[in-house]
């Protein structure tokens, strides 16, 4: 028995090493490989060529064009030569018991939940409530007056009204303004993921998770993902995020000059500051995905996910209101992670089924629940830039997840439809990014090819929504 166990560990280690080498090859390769056609035909070649030329004209003089090599982007952050040679290796996926780099906590989450506290006494006034449970916050406690679905594929307005509020635009804008003006008065280890990250205490009394990227792609992806969420109307699910340039000699970082010396951060590096949220708890994937993924793991090692059955209106019978409210938020999460090609959340769990058949019954990576029940999408640095580089490796997980969903927030579907119709996803993201992030030019924007990939994924999501709508209409007609 002991000998068999050691052999199993050896095979896991060998498979992990092969994946690590594949990831490094992907990172060292120059341009992003053209992804395979997912589950819809691409546009005609002539139309694609015409749009590519138009995009080249638009993006040629933007923050960072396709001609700018990765080395030039890296030099902007003034990293030392030893750090420049490092690649983004950590998110090959945090495997159980196999962290890619030293961890301060159990996972790579941008903010780790504390141990469960004892049940608090009921607050006597709004001032005593948790930060996420302000007056007027929606809590899933009222009965739903009607069906949870309308039009066959959209969550009902009554159900959406029960979804707990996240970070309101006004509260987020207020925190971002204060965070950019405040001075960092202390840096602490722990609570914010990787050992290179820090928990910052600001002069206004607030706290923020400071993420220092191993690679410029990580900070760039984190910032662009945050603003894409704004473009899609789901930014309230992400903690407010601002960029800051680390300068020990003065300004915002002067009070922590000594702490910076021990952090091994490069002077002049751009980091992200995300608002700290108290009392976050872990989130397990809802039963529809959890049960399917568990059954798909029977062939491990080398898990091959069979096609997931779409979560449609007919699958909601017997679910409680609290479960329905959570599914509304998960529908946005799955669309968001597909559009950004983020492989460091639910995809991370699916990938780990090869080693842990029960992983879908455990906490989902980089997803937490706020005290009022709202989900928080943390640590999005694998999105867009880094995720697009590794599409060939991870889309075999992201695409089945997208196909597994046939219920949507109507507002999200409308945003996707508009971006598809006007074919301006990258243009709108750039406009929003420049308007709301003062340090946008230091970090740069998507390359021409990455911008096209974003538009392609928008188009595919829109096509999938239309497919779900047609199926729902056919089912309704057959029931008559």
């Amino acid at each position: 028995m002991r000998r068999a166990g050691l052999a199993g560990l050896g095979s896991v280690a060998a498979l992990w090493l092969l994946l690590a080498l594949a990831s490094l090859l992907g990172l060292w390769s120059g341009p992003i490989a053209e992804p395979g056609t997912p589950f819809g035909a691409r546009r005609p070649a002539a139309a694609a060529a015409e749009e590519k030329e138009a995009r080249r004209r638009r993006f040629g003089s933007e923050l960072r064009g396709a001609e700018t090599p990765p080395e030039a982007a890296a030099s902007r952050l003034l990293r030392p030569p030893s750090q420049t040679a490092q690649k983004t290796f950590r998110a090959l996926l945090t495997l159980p018991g196999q962290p890619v780099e030293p961890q301060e906590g159990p996972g790579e989450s941008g903010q780790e939940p504390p141990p469960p506290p004892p049940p608090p006494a009921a607050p006597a006034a709004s001032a005593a409530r948790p930060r996420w449970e302000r007056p007027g916050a929606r809590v899933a406690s009222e009965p739903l007056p009607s069906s949870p679905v309308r039009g066959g594929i959209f969550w009902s307005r009554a159900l959406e009204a029960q979804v707990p509020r996240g970070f309101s635009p006004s509260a987020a804008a207020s925190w971002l303004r204060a965070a950019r003006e405040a001075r960092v008065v202390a840096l602490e280890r722990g609570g914010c993921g990787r050992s290179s990250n820090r928990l910052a205490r600001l002069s206004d009394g607030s706290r923020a998770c400071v993420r220092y990227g191993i690679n410029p792609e990580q900070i760039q992806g984190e910032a662009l993902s945050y603003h894409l969420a704004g473009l899609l109307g789901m930014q309230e699910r992400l903690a407010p995020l601002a960029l800051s340039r680390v300068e020990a000699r003065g300004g915002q970082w002067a009070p922590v000059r000594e702490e910076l010396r021990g952090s091994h951060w490069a002077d002049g590096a751009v980091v992200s500051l995300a608002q700290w949220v108290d009392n976050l708890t872990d989130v397990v994937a809802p039963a529809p995905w959890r049960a399917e993924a568990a059954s798909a793991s029977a062939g491990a090692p080398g898990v091959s996910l069979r096609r997931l059955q779409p979560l449609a209106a007919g699958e909601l019978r017997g679910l409680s209101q609290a479960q329905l409210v959570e599914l509304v938020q998960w529908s946005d999460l799955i669309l968001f992670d597909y559009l950004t090609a983020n492989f460091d959340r639910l995809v991370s769990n699916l990938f780990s089924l090869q080693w842990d058949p029960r992983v879908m019954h455990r906490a989902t990576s980089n997803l937490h629940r706020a005290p009022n029940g709202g989900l928080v999408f943390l640590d999005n640095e694998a999105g867009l830039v880094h995720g697009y580089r590794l599409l060939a490796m991870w889309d075999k997980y992201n695409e089945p997840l997208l196909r597994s969903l046939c219920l949507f927030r109507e507002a999200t579907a409308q945003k996707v439809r508009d971006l598809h119709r006007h074919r301006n996803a990258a243009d709108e993201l750039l406009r929003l990014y420049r308007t709301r992030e003062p340090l946008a030019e230091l970090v740069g924007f998507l390359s021409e090819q990455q911008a096209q990939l974003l538009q392609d994924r928008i188009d595919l999501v829109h096509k999938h929504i239309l497919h779900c709508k047609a199926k729902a209409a056919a089912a309704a007609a057959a029931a008559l």
Side-chain angles (χ1 to χ4, degrees):
M1 185 69 72
R2 178 182 179 87
R3 193 169 298 170
L6 292 175
L9 289 175
S11 64
V12 169
L15 181 58
W16 184 86
L17 179 59
L18 288 175
L19 287 169
L21 291 174
S23 180
L24 287 174
L25 288 174
L27 289 170
W28 288 333
S29 62
I32 303 172
E34 184 72 11
T37 304
F39 47 95
R42 287 186 177 275
R43 291 172 289 109
E50 181 180 348
E51 181 170 329
K52 182 176 181 181
E53 180 59 30
R55 189 173 297 281
R56 184 185 301 278
R57 291 195 296 271
R58 289 201 303 272
F59 286 94
S61 60
E62 299 298 358
L63 299 179
R64 191 190 76 178
E67 297 77 16
T68 305
E71 291 81 2
S75 65
R76 292 176 183 167
L77 299 190
L78 304 179
R79 296 182 296 141
S82 61
Q83 191 181 14
T84 304
Q86 288 182 297
K87 301 297 178 181
T88 311
F89 182 72
R90 78 114 168 107
L92 177 66
L93 268 275
T94 304
L95 305 181
Q98 299 281 345
V100 175
E101 59 180 353
Q103 300 288 317
E104 292 292 342
E108 278 293 329
S109 172
Q111 183 177 317
E112 297 158 13
S126 61
R129 296 177 181 175
R131 297 180 64 130
W132 263 57
E133 198 171 342
R134 297 183 178 88
R138 290 167 290 193
V139 180
S141 59
E142 302 174 8
L144 294 176
S146 59
S147 168
V149 177
R150 63 189 184 87
I153 63 169
F154 298 126
W155 299 112
S156 71
R157 294 189 179 94
L159 180 59
E160 286 197 39
Q162 299 300 312
V163 175
R165 289 193 180 116
F167 301 92
S168 70
S170 59
S174 177
W175 186 88
L176 290 170
R177 184 167 52 252
R180 291 186 175 111
E181 296 173 354
R183 292 160 72 87
V184 180
V185 297
L187 290 175
E188 304 172 4
R189 291 179 179 270
C192 291
R194 283 195 307 270
S195 59
S196 61
N197 300 336
R198 295 292 185 271
L199 175 60
R201 295 184 180 275
L202 307 181
S203 56
D204 67 349
S206 65
R207 291 183 292 174
C209 271
V210 184
R211 302 191 66 80
Y212 178 82
I214 298 173
N215 186 296
E217 287 183 346
Q218 294 175 298
I219 302 302
Q220 188 183 29
E222 181 93 52
L224 290 175
S225 294
Y226 177 69
H227 291 289
L228 179 62
L231 192 61
L232 295 169
M234 56 181 76
Q235 199 173 55
E236 69 169 322
R237 305 261 71 93
L238 283 71
L241 181 135
L243 299 179
S244 177
R245 187 168 186 173
V246 179
E247 295 176 312
R249 296 182 180 179
Q252 187 174 31
W253 298 88
V256 291
R257 184 181 296 112
E258 294 302 319
E259 289 96 322
L260 288 175
R261 289 177 183 172
S263 69
H264 304 295
W265 293 355
D267 191 44
V270 177
V271 298
S272 65
L273 278 68
Q275 182 179 354
W276 173 271
V277 185
D278 290 313
N279 302 322
L280 293 179
T281 54
D282 289 333
V283 177
V284 176
W289 293 288
R290 186 167 69 240
E292 184 68 22
S295 63
S297 68
V303 173
S304 177
L305 289 177
R306 60 187 174 89
R307 182 173 180 180
L308 302 176
Q309 296 301 314
L311 177 67
E315 309 297 322
L316 302 180
R317 287 185 293 272
L319 295 183
S320 68
Q321 179 181 320
Q323 290 173 313
L324 292 170
V325 165
E326 184 149 321
L327 286 175
V328 174
Q329 300 172 76
W330 272 86
S331 67
D332 266 357
L333 175 66
I334 288 177
L335 288 189
F336 181 60
D337 280 354
Y338 177 79
L339 290 174
T340 61
N342 190 336
F343 53 84
D344 203 8
R345 203 169 350 252
L346 190 59
V347 166
S348 168
N349 288 46
L350 291 174
F351 178 75
S352 297
L353 279 168
Q354 300 170 81
W355 297 274
D356 184 1
R358 298 284 299 170
V359 69
M360 298 309 293
H361 295 264
R362 308 188 201 284
T364 303
S365 300
N366 300 318
L367 181 67
H368 294 296
R369 184 178 287 105
N372 71 347
L375 299 186
V376 188
F377 308 168
L378 288 175
D379 183 8
N380 298 288
E381 63 181 19
L384 292 172
V385 187
H386 190 47
Y388 284 3
R389 186 185 294 277
L390 300 175
L391 284 180
M393 180 177 291
W394 301 115
D395 256 6
K396 61 186 174 185
Y397 298 98
N398 263 320
E399 287 180 359
L401 281 172
L402 175 63
R403 286 194 294 262
S404 75
L405 183 71
C406 261
L407 288 170
F408 314 92
R409 287 179 60 243
E410 187 172 14
T412 301
Q414 177 66 51
K415 296 282 187 183
V416 169
R417 184 176 68 179
D418 291 344
L419 293 172
H420 162 76
R421 179 183 299 170
H422 299 295
R423 310 201 60 75
N424 63 348
D427 293 327
E428 286 298 296
L429 177 58
L430 176 62
R431 178 190 60 78
L432 198 63
Y433 181 45
R434 280 178 155 177
T435 301
R436 299 186 179 178
E437 178 45 67
L439 300 186
E441 293 191 30
L442 290 179
V443 175
F445 189 62
L446 300 174
S447 68
E448 176 190 336
Q449 192 170 13
Q450 291 162 347
Q452 184 60 54
L453 284 171
L454 173 60
Q455 186 64 54
D456 289 346
R457 293 174 90 81
I458 288 283
D459 297 343
L460 196 143
V461 168
H462 176 67
K463 182 176 181 179
H464 175 63
I465 293 173
L466 293 180
H467 173 70
C468 290
K469 189 172 184 179
K471 285 184 63 176
L480 294 177

